[in-house]
Amino acid sequence: KYCLAATAKKNDMRLIAIVLGEEVSKVRNSETMALLDYGFNTFSYKSFATKGEVFKSIPVTKGTADTINAIYESSPSFLIKKGEESSITYEINLPESIQAPITQGQQLGTISYYLNNDKIAEVSLIAENSINKISFINIMKSLFSNWFNLTRSS
């Protein structure tokens, strides 16, 4: 009996085909090619973003910085039937603003992906960096710095 595990890559999609127990090696080879051809002709790989890519900048209240970047925690990508790419929709769950303190990697929100109204994935949006809560001393430094800059420019 002949068996074969084969892989092939086309564009950004890699497929694996496994054929077991064929009586003739030529049949095994043709069945493997048929499986790979079917996969490449029927499915496509759709990527929406890459890990670490900035999705949106969110205003920060009571923090040492005014905004924080919400980035993708992972790369949302899907293997779907060709022609269904336009049927993918998404829902964003992200606050309008966030209050400090914020730690790097903290989940700020999510994006849920749907195919024909069926949820196929959910990706976390996380904080790109940390932002400390503003303290009285930081407020005084900021006020003094702004006042000093105003008096220098006059």
PDB file of all heavy atoms in Angstrom, residues 6-10 13 15-17 29-44 82:
ATOM      1  N   ALA A   6       1.709  15.414   1.570  1.00  0.00           N
ATOM      2  CA  ALA A   6       2.318  16.452   0.741  1.00  0.00           C
ATOM      3  C   ALA A   6       1.802  17.815   1.153  1.00  0.00           C
ATOM      4  O   ALA A   6       0.689  17.947   1.686  1.00  0.00           O
ATOM      5  CB  ALA A   6       2.000  16.194  -0.728  1.00  0.00           C
ATOM      6  N   THR A   7       2.599  18.836   0.920  1.00  0.00           N
ATOM      7  CA  THR A   7       2.192  20.203   1.196  1.00  0.00           C
ATOM      8  C   THR A   7       2.522  21.056  -0.013  1.00  0.00           C
ATOM      9  O   THR A   7       3.467  20.783  -0.754  1.00  0.00           O
ATOM     10  CB  THR A   7       2.886  20.748   2.462  1.00  0.00           C
ATOM     11  OG1 THR A   7       2.446  22.088   2.695  1.00  0.00           O
ATOM     12  CG2 THR A   7       4.381  20.717   2.344  1.00  0.00           C
ATOM     13  N   ALA A   8       1.723  22.086  -0.219  1.00  0.00           N
ATOM     14  CA  ALA A   8       1.957  23.027  -1.319  1.00  0.00           C
ATOM     15  C   ALA A   8       1.530  24.410  -0.858  1.00  0.00           C
ATOM     16  O   ALA A   8       0.609  24.560  -0.047  1.00  0.00           O
ATOM     17  CB  ALA A   8       1.171  22.605  -2.554  1.00  0.00           C
ATOM     18  N   LYS A   9       2.213  25.429  -1.385  1.00  0.00           N
ATOM     19  CA  LYS A   9       1.893  26.806  -1.038  1.00  0.00           C
ATOM     20  C   LYS A   9       1.622  27.588  -2.308  1.00  0.00           C
ATOM     21  O   LYS A   9       2.369  27.502  -3.275  1.00  0.00           O
ATOM     22  CB  LYS A   9       3.049  27.454  -0.266  1.00  0.00           C
ATOM     23  CG  LYS A   9       2.743  28.847   0.222  1.00  0.00           C
ATOM     24  CD  LYS A   9       3.862  29.391   1.082  1.00  0.00           C
ATOM     25  CE  LYS A   9       3.474  30.780   1.577  1.00  0.00           C
ATOM     26  NZ  LYS A   9       4.524  31.381   2.380  1.00  0.00           N
ATOM     27  N   LYS A  10       0.541  28.368  -2.267  1.00  0.00           N
ATOM     28  CA  LYS A  10       0.165  29.217  -3.391  1.00  0.00           C
ATOM     29  C   LYS A  10      -0.272  30.549  -2.802  1.00  0.00           C
ATOM     30  O   LYS A  10      -1.162  30.586  -1.945  1.00  0.00           O
ATOM     31  CB  LYS A  10      -0.982  28.561  -4.165  1.00  0.00           C
ATOM     32  CG  LYS A  10      -1.291  29.184  -5.487  1.00  0.00           C
ATOM     33  CD  LYS A  10      -2.378  28.341  -6.168  1.00  0.00           C
ATOM     34  CE  LYS A  10      -2.553  28.707  -7.599  1.00  0.00           C
ATOM     35  NZ  LYS A  10      -3.595  27.891  -8.228  1.00  0.00           N
ATOM     36  N   MET A  13      -1.373  30.970   1.019  1.00  0.00           N
ATOM     37  CA  MET A  13      -2.087  29.817   1.559  1.00  0.00           C
ATOM     38  C   MET A  13      -1.265  28.542   1.374  1.00  0.00           C
ATOM     39  O   MET A  13      -0.806  28.232   0.281  1.00  0.00           O
ATOM     40  CB  MET A  13      -3.448  29.673   0.855  1.00  0.00           C
ATOM     41  CG  MET A  13      -4.303  28.581   1.429  1.00  0.00           C
ATOM     42  SD  MET A  13      -6.019  28.605   0.835  1.00  0.00           S
ATOM     43  CE  MET A  13      -5.825  28.245  -0.891  1.00  0.00           C
ATOM     44  N   LEU A  15      -1.430  24.385   1.972  1.00  0.00           N
ATOM     45  CA  LEU A  15      -2.337  23.257   2.204  1.00  0.00           C
ATOM     46  C   LEU A  15      -1.536  21.979   2.403  1.00  0.00           C
ATOM     47  O   LEU A  15      -0.414  21.849   1.905  1.00  0.00           O
ATOM     48  CB  LEU A  15      -3.285  23.080   1.012  1.00  0.00           C
ATOM     49  CG  LEU A  15      -4.242  24.229   0.709  1.00  0.00           C
ATOM     50  CD1 LEU A  15      -5.066  23.908  -0.529  1.00  0.00           C
ATOM     51  CD2 LEU A  15      -5.138  24.524   1.892  1.00  0.00           C
ATOM     52  N   ILE A  16      -2.160  21.049   3.099  1.00  0.00           N
ATOM     53  CA  ILE A  16      -1.566  19.730   3.324  1.00  0.00           C
ATOM     54  C   ILE A  16      -2.555  18.694   2.808  1.00  0.00           C
ATOM     55  O   ILE A  16      -3.754  18.780   3.091  1.00  0.00           O
ATOM     56  CB  ILE A  16      -1.305  19.478   4.824  1.00  0.00           C
ATOM     57  CG1 ILE A  16      -0.309  20.501   5.364  1.00  0.00           C
ATOM     58  CG2 ILE A  16      -0.794  18.071   5.054  1.00  0.00           C
ATOM     59  CD1 ILE A  16      -0.179  20.485   6.871  1.00  0.00           C
ATOM     60  N   ALA A  17      -2.059  17.727   2.068  1.00  0.00           N
ATOM     61  CA  ALA A  17      -2.896  16.623   1.580  1.00  0.00           C
ATOM     62  C   ALA A  17      -2.262  15.310   2.042  1.00  0.00           C
ATOM     63  O   ALA A  17      -1.052  15.125   1.932  1.00  0.00           O
ATOM     64  CB  ALA A  17      -2.983  16.651   0.060  1.00  0.00           C
ATOM     65  N   ASN A  29      -0.293   9.525  -6.204  1.00  0.00           N
ATOM     66  CA  ASN A  29       0.180  10.840  -6.636  1.00  0.00           C
ATOM     67  C   ASN A  29      -0.947  11.683  -7.242  1.00  0.00           C
ATOM     68  O   ASN A  29      -1.073  12.867  -6.947  1.00  0.00           O
ATOM     69  CB  ASN A  29       1.326  10.701  -7.637  1.00  0.00           C
ATOM     70  CG  ASN A  29       2.561  10.093  -6.995  1.00  0.00           C
ATOM     71  OD1 ASN A  29       2.685  10.037  -5.768  1.00  0.00           O
ATOM     72  ND2 ASN A  29       3.477   9.618  -7.824  1.00  0.00           N
ATOM     73  N   SER A  30      -1.765  11.068  -8.075  1.00  0.00           N
ATOM     74  CA  SER A  30      -2.848  11.825  -8.716  1.00  0.00           C
ATOM     75  C   SER A  30      -3.917  12.233  -7.698  1.00  0.00           C
ATOM     76  O   SER A  30      -4.481  13.326  -7.797  1.00  0.00           O
ATOM     77  CB  SER A  30      -3.462  11.034  -9.872  1.00  0.00           C
ATOM     78  OG  SER A  30      -4.119   9.882  -9.399  1.00  0.00           O
ATOM     79  N   GLU A  31      -4.188  11.368  -6.718  1.00  0.00           N
ATOM     80  CA  GLU A  31      -5.151  11.714  -5.669  1.00  0.00           C
ATOM     81  C   GLU A  31      -4.637  12.881  -4.814  1.00  0.00           C
ATOM     82  O   GLU A  31      -5.400  13.773  -4.436  1.00  0.00           O
ATOM     83  CB  GLU A  31      -5.444  10.504  -4.776  1.00  0.00           C
ATOM     84  CG  GLU A  31      -6.228   9.403  -5.455  1.00  0.00           C
ATOM     85  CD  GLU A  31      -7.643   9.822  -5.799  1.00  0.00           C
ATOM     86  OE1 GLU A  31      -8.264  10.555  -5.006  1.00  0.00           O
ATOM     87  OE2 GLU A  31      -8.124   9.421  -6.875  1.00  0.00           O
ATOM     88  N   THR A  32      -3.347  12.868  -4.527  1.00  0.00           N
ATOM     89  CA  THR A  32      -2.747  13.953  -3.758  1.00  0.00           C
ATOM     90  C   THR A  32      -2.867  15.271  -4.523  1.00  0.00           C
ATOM     91  O   THR A  32      -3.262  16.298  -3.963  1.00  0.00           O
ATOM     92  CB  THR A  32      -1.260  13.649  -3.448  1.00  0.00           C
ATOM     93  OG1 THR A  32      -1.188  12.429  -2.715  1.00  0.00           O
ATOM     94  CG2 THR A  32      -0.627  14.759  -2.648  1.00  0.00           C
ATOM     95  N   MET A  33      -2.537  15.256  -5.803  1.00  0.00           N
ATOM     96  CA  MET A  33      -2.640  16.460  -6.629  1.00  0.00           C
ATOM     97  C   MET A  33      -4.093  16.927  -6.721  1.00  0.00           C
ATOM     98  O   MET A  33      -4.372  18.131  -6.685  1.00  0.00           O
ATOM     99  CB  MET A  33      -2.079  16.205  -8.028  1.00  0.00           C
ATOM    100  CG  MET A  33      -0.573  16.074  -8.064  1.00  0.00           C
ATOM    101  SD  MET A  33       0.290  17.501  -7.393  1.00  0.00           S
ATOM    102  CE  MET A  33      -0.235  18.775  -8.505  1.00  0.00           C
ATOM    103  N   ALA A  34      -5.023  15.975  -6.832  1.00  0.00           N
ATOM    104  CA  ALA A  34      -6.445  16.329  -6.916  1.00  0.00           C
ATOM    105  C   ALA A  34      -6.898  17.033  -5.629  1.00  0.00           C
ATOM    106  O   ALA A  34      -7.656  18.011  -5.684  1.00  0.00           O
ATOM    107  CB  ALA A  34      -7.282  15.092  -7.184  1.00  0.00           C
ATOM    108  N   LEU A  35      -6.457  16.531  -4.483  1.00  0.00           N
ATOM    109  CA  LEU A  35      -6.813  17.167  -3.206  1.00  0.00           C
ATOM    110  C   LEU A  35      -6.264  18.592  -3.121  1.00  0.00           C
ATOM    111  O   LEU A  35      -6.968  19.525  -2.724  1.00  0.00           O
ATOM    112  CB  LEU A  35      -6.285  16.345  -2.030  1.00  0.00           C
ATOM    113  CG  LEU A  35      -7.070  15.101  -1.663  1.00  0.00           C
ATOM    114  CD1 LEU A  35      -6.299  14.269  -0.627  1.00  0.00           C
ATOM    115  CD2 LEU A  35      -8.433  15.481  -1.111  1.00  0.00           C
ATOM    116  N   LEU A  36      -5.003  18.768  -3.476  1.00  0.00           N
ATOM    117  CA  LEU A  36      -4.393  20.103  -3.431  1.00  0.00           C
ATOM    118  C   LEU A  36      -5.073  21.046  -4.424  1.00  0.00           C
ATOM    119  O   LEU A  36      -5.369  22.203  -4.078  1.00  0.00           O
ATOM    120  CB  LEU A  36      -2.891  20.005  -3.701  1.00  0.00           C
ATOM    121  CG  LEU A  36      -2.075  19.324  -2.591  1.00  0.00           C
ATOM    122  CD1 LEU A  36      -0.644  19.077  -3.056  1.00  0.00           C
ATOM    123  CD2 LEU A  36      -2.087  20.139  -1.307  1.00  0.00           C
ATOM    124  N   ASP A  37      -5.341  20.573  -5.641  1.00  0.00           N
ATOM    125  CA  ASP A  37      -6.025  21.403  -6.629  1.00  0.00           C
ATOM    126  C   ASP A  37      -7.407  21.815  -6.130  1.00  0.00           C
ATOM    127  O   ASP A  37      -7.815  22.975  -6.272  1.00  0.00           O
ATOM    128  CB  ASP A  37      -6.161  20.667  -7.968  1.00  0.00           C
ATOM    129  CG  ASP A  37      -4.845  20.568  -8.721  1.00  0.00           C
ATOM    130  OD1 ASP A  37      -3.909  21.345  -8.410  1.00  0.00           O
ATOM    131  OD2 ASP A  37      -4.737  19.696  -9.623  1.00  0.00           O
ATOM    132  N   TYR A  38      -8.133  20.867  -5.544  1.00  0.00           N
ATOM    133  CA  TYR A  38      -9.453  21.173  -4.995  1.00  0.00           C
ATOM    134  C   TYR A  38      -9.342  22.269  -3.938  1.00  0.00           C
ATOM    135  O   TYR A  38     -10.124  23.233  -3.931  1.00  0.00           O
ATOM    136  CB  TYR A  38     -10.092  19.919  -4.382  1.00  0.00           C
ATOM    137  CG  TYR A  38     -11.369  20.216  -3.640  1.00  0.00           C
ATOM    138  CD1 TYR A  38     -12.569  20.392  -4.332  1.00  0.00           C
ATOM    139  CD2 TYR A  38     -11.383  20.340  -2.247  1.00  0.00           C
ATOM    140  CE1 TYR A  38     -13.744  20.684  -3.658  1.00  0.00           C
ATOM    141  CE2 TYR A  38     -12.553  20.639  -1.571  1.00  0.00           C
ATOM    142  CZ  TYR A  38     -13.732  20.810  -2.276  1.00  0.00           C
ATOM    143  OH  TYR A  38     -14.889  21.116  -1.612  1.00  0.00           O
ATOM    144  N   GLY A  39      -8.389  22.141  -3.031  1.00  0.00           N
ATOM    145  CA  GLY A  39      -8.225  23.140  -1.977  1.00  0.00           C
ATOM    146  C   GLY A  39      -7.910  24.519  -2.526  1.00  0.00           C
ATOM    147  O   GLY A  39      -8.521  25.519  -2.127  1.00  0.00           O
ATOM    148  N   PHE A  40      -6.976  24.600  -3.463  1.00  0.00           N
ATOM    149  CA  PHE A  40      -6.599  25.900  -4.022  1.00  0.00           C
ATOM    150  C   PHE A  40      -7.710  26.499  -4.887  1.00  0.00           C
ATOM    151  O   PHE A  40      -7.850  27.713  -4.953  1.00  0.00           O
ATOM    152  CB  PHE A  40      -5.308  25.786  -4.835  1.00  0.00           C
ATOM    153  CG  PHE A  40      -4.085  25.625  -3.975  1.00  0.00           C
ATOM    154  CD1 PHE A  40      -3.253  24.537  -4.130  1.00  0.00           C
ATOM    155  CD2 PHE A  40      -3.757  26.569  -3.006  1.00  0.00           C
ATOM    156  CE1 PHE A  40      -2.118  24.384  -3.341  1.00  0.00           C
ATOM    157  CE2 PHE A  40      -2.625  26.431  -2.217  1.00  0.00           C
ATOM    158  CZ  PHE A  40      -1.805  25.337  -2.381  1.00  0.00           C
ATOM    159  N   ASN A  41      -8.497  25.656  -5.560  1.00  0.00           N
ATOM    160  CA  ASN A  41      -9.573  26.163  -6.414  1.00  0.00           C
ATOM    161  C   ASN A  41     -10.835  26.530  -5.633  1.00  0.00           C
ATOM    162  O   ASN A  41     -11.653  27.310  -6.110  1.00  0.00           O
ATOM    163  CB  ASN A  41      -9.932  25.125  -7.489  1.00  0.00           C
ATOM    164  CG  ASN A  41      -8.819  24.969  -8.500  1.00  0.00           C
ATOM    165  OD1 ASN A  41      -8.076  25.896  -8.761  1.00  0.00           O
ATOM    166  ND2 ASN A  41      -8.701  23.774  -9.053  1.00  0.00           N
ATOM    167  N   THR A  42     -11.006  25.979  -4.441  1.00  0.00           N
ATOM    168  CA  THR A  42     -12.240  26.168  -3.687  1.00  0.00           C
ATOM    169  C   THR A  42     -12.115  27.188  -2.563  1.00  0.00           C
ATOM    170  O   THR A  42     -13.090  27.848  -2.206  1.00  0.00           O
ATOM    171  CB  THR A  42     -12.690  24.814  -3.089  1.00  0.00           C
ATOM    172  OG1 THR A  42     -12.744  23.850  -4.138  1.00  0.00           O
ATOM    173  CG2 THR A  42     -14.059  24.923  -2.440  1.00  0.00           C
ATOM    174  N   PHE A  43     -10.916  27.341  -1.986  1.00  0.00           N
ATOM    175  CA  PHE A  43     -10.751  28.186  -0.805  1.00  0.00           C
ATOM    176  C   PHE A  43      -9.758  29.314  -1.053  1.00  0.00           C
ATOM    177  O   PHE A  43      -8.906  29.238  -1.929  1.00  0.00           O
ATOM    178  CB  PHE A  43     -10.281  27.344   0.383  1.00  0.00           C
ATOM    179  CG  PHE A  43     -11.279  26.302   0.792  1.00  0.00           C
ATOM    180  CD1 PHE A  43     -11.172  24.998   0.329  1.00  0.00           C
ATOM    181  CD2 PHE A  43     -12.338  26.621   1.627  1.00  0.00           C
ATOM    182  CE1 PHE A  43     -12.095  24.033   0.689  1.00  0.00           C
ATOM    183  CE2 PHE A  43     -13.269  25.664   1.995  1.00  0.00           C
ATOM    184  CZ  PHE A  43     -13.147  24.363   1.525  1.00  0.00           C
ATOM    185  N   SER A  44      -9.895  30.360  -0.253  1.00  0.00           N
ATOM    186  CA  SER A  44      -8.933  31.464  -0.283  1.00  0.00           C
ATOM    187  C   SER A  44      -8.588  31.840   1.155  1.00  0.00           C
ATOM    188  O   SER A  44      -9.328  31.542   2.092  1.00  0.00           O
ATOM    189  CB  SER A  44      -9.494  32.664  -1.040  1.00  0.00           C
ATOM    190  OG  SER A  44     -10.577  33.241  -0.344  1.00  0.00           O
ATOM    191  N   LYS A  82     -14.055  30.457  -1.690  1.00  0.00           N
ATOM    192  CA  LYS A  82     -13.947  31.560  -2.643  1.00  0.00           C
ATOM    193  C   LYS A  82     -15.338  32.108  -2.939  1.00  0.00           C
ATOM    194  O   LYS A  82     -16.303  31.354  -3.056  1.00  0.00           O
ATOM    195  CB  LYS A  82     -13.270  31.091  -3.927  1.00  0.00           C
ATOM    196  CG  LYS A  82     -11.787  30.900  -3.760  1.00  0.00           C
ATOM    197  CD  LYS A  82     -11.103  30.612  -5.071  1.00  0.00           C
ATOM    198  CE  LYS A  82      -9.613  30.530  -4.843  1.00  0.00           C
ATOM    199  NZ  LYS A  82      -8.884  30.255  -6.074  1.00  0.00           N
TER     200      LYS A  82
END
